[in-house]
Amino acid sequence: MTTTLTQTEAAPKAGKAADPSPAVELSVTQAATEERTTPAPGLVRRVTGAVGSGLWKSAAVLAFLALWELGPTYLASPSTRVFLPPLHEVLVAWGRLFEAGTIQGHIAASLTRSVAGFGAALVAGVSLGLLIAWYGRLNSVLNPLLELFRNTAALALLPVFTLLLGIGEESKISIVAYAAFFPVLLNTIAGVKTVDPLLIRAARSLGLNSFRLFQKVILPSAVPTIFTGIRMAGTASILVLIAAEMVGAKAGLGYLIVNAQSSFLIPDMYAGILTVSLLGLGVNFLLVALERHFSRWRTAVGAAAS
């Protein structure tokens, strides 16, 4: 009887000792909450590494902007400062042009001409480049003529385009198309000629006709080289257009730059130059994104091979 009572009294005591107290439950809950809210060390390292890499890559640009801001104020003479204003004055002038809607109108005019000429050069350059690279006789006939015009600077022909087409939109779009045509053409030819012959033989052995061969083998293999020419053409189309707009234009970034210079609005002139640089940078980023989109199969093949 005594033994049974002792065991019965001991059982509740053991049960009470096993149950966690409210304080212990609260501490466990707080620890779990802190564990969920505290970022993982790996994530912190990745974010820190990305920020450090971004600062390192942009160090040269930041140094240039700092020199532009501080140099005219503390290093240049007052007479030089008139023709080289600090960065904040240029940004103020750009903001004033933006509020007035002036800079947007000039950007729209330049982009319209550039896109029209670049599009024409892209279609003509890729089409003719594929034909020349595929048909050897056509290459031997047209190559001397193409070499002649390729080595003729586009701006050297600007007076010719102006005399033949006038000072309107036709001459500016035509000079842009001429400048952008040859980078696309030459890189298309090089891209097709550098396709692995084993791939072509394998495709022919599988019974692919010429159209399917171009679609499945030639074009995918030549895309990176073609896009190199397209990026070069995009840059050339903007630069040549700016020079063309400085002659006989009433709108556009080139007109803004030369008009501000002749009116002695030096901050406005630098604002136009800065806009041209940012526009060219944006076009390059866009073309790089398109190249990655059309070259996704190479990334997939490389990942599968590794």
Side-chain angles (χ1 to χ4, degrees):
M1 184 69 175
T2 306
T3 304
T4 304
L5 181 60
T6 304
Q7 291 177 351
T8 305
E9 292 176 353
K13 292 181 181 180
K16 291 181 181 180
D19 292 337
S21 62
V24 174
E25 291 180 355
L26 181 60
S27 62
V28 171
T29 304
Q30 291 177 351
T33 304
E34 292 177 357
E35 184 177 357
R36 288 195 302 267
T37 56
T38 303
L43 178 61
V44 174
R45 285 196 297 267
R46 287 195 297 270
V47 172
T48 305
V51 172
S53 177
L55 291 176
W56 175 255
K57 292 179 180 179
S58 59
V61 176
L62 295 177
F64 171 74
L65 295 178
L67 180 62
W68 189 359
E69 173 64 29
L70 301 176
T73 304
Y74 298 102
L75 301 178
S77 60
S79 59
T80 305
R81 199 176 306 142
V82 175
F83 301 102
L84 184 62
L87 178 61
H88 74 273
E89 294 185 10
V90 176
L91 295 178
V92 169
W94 195 94
R96 185 176 64 252
L97 293 173
F98 182 83
E99 290 179 358
T102 305
I103 196 74
Q104 295 95 314
H106 291 303
I107 292 175
S110 295
L111 278 179
T112 302
R113 297 163 182 158
S114 181
V115 169
F118 177 74
L122 181 61
V123 173
V126 173
S127 302
L128 186 59
L130 292 175
L131 291 175
I132 291 176
W134 192 250
Y135 297 103
R137 291 184 178 180
L138 187 62
N139 183 21
S140 60
V141 172
L142 294 180
N143 186 60
L145 182 63
L146 293 176
E147 287 293 329
L148 175 64
F149 281 100
R150 182 176 71 89
N151 291 285
T152 304
L155 293 179
L157 296 176
L158 179 59
V160 178
F161 283 96
T162 304
L163 289 174
L164 295 178
L165 301 175
I167 60 174
E169 299 298 316
E170 292 82 3
S171 61
K172 296 174 179 57
I173 294 175
S174 299
I175 195 68
V176 169
Y178 178 86
F181 171 73
F182 288 99
V184 177
L185 174 71
L186 297 177
N187 280 272
T188 301
I189 296 173
V192 173
K193 286 186 175 181
T194 54
V195 176
D196 192 352
L198 294 178
L199 293 177
I200 299 177
R201 293 176 186 175
R204 290 190 182 279
S205 65
L206 293 174
L208 269 68
N209 55 29
S210 298
F211 177 76
R212 299 289 291 177
L213 181 63
F214 260 100
Q215 182 184 11
K216 296 296 184 181
V217 178
I218 302 297
L219 283 179
S221 300
V223 159
T225 308
I226 293 175
F227 263 96
T228 300
I230 291 175
R231 290 171 60 186
M232 295 171 60
T235 303
S237 64
I238 294 177
L239 297 180
V240 172
L241 175 65
I242 298 304
E245 288 177 342
M246 292 180 177
V247 180
K250 295 183 179 180
L253 293 174
Y255 168 78
L256 171 64
I257 293 171
V258 72
N259 184 61
Q261 184 266 338
S262 60
S263 302
F264 210 71
L265 300 173
I266 306 302
D268 292 3
M269 181 190 73
Y270 281 101
I273 296 173
L274 184 62
T275 304
V276 172
S277 301
L278 296 177
L279 182 62
L281 189 63
V283 170
N284 183 69
F285 279 140
L286 177 62
L287 293 176
V288 169
L290 288 176
E291 180 181 359
R292 291 176 179 173
H293 173 74
F294 286 106
S295 301
R296 287 181 300 178
W297 68 273
R298 287 180 173 265
T299 305
V301 170
S306 61

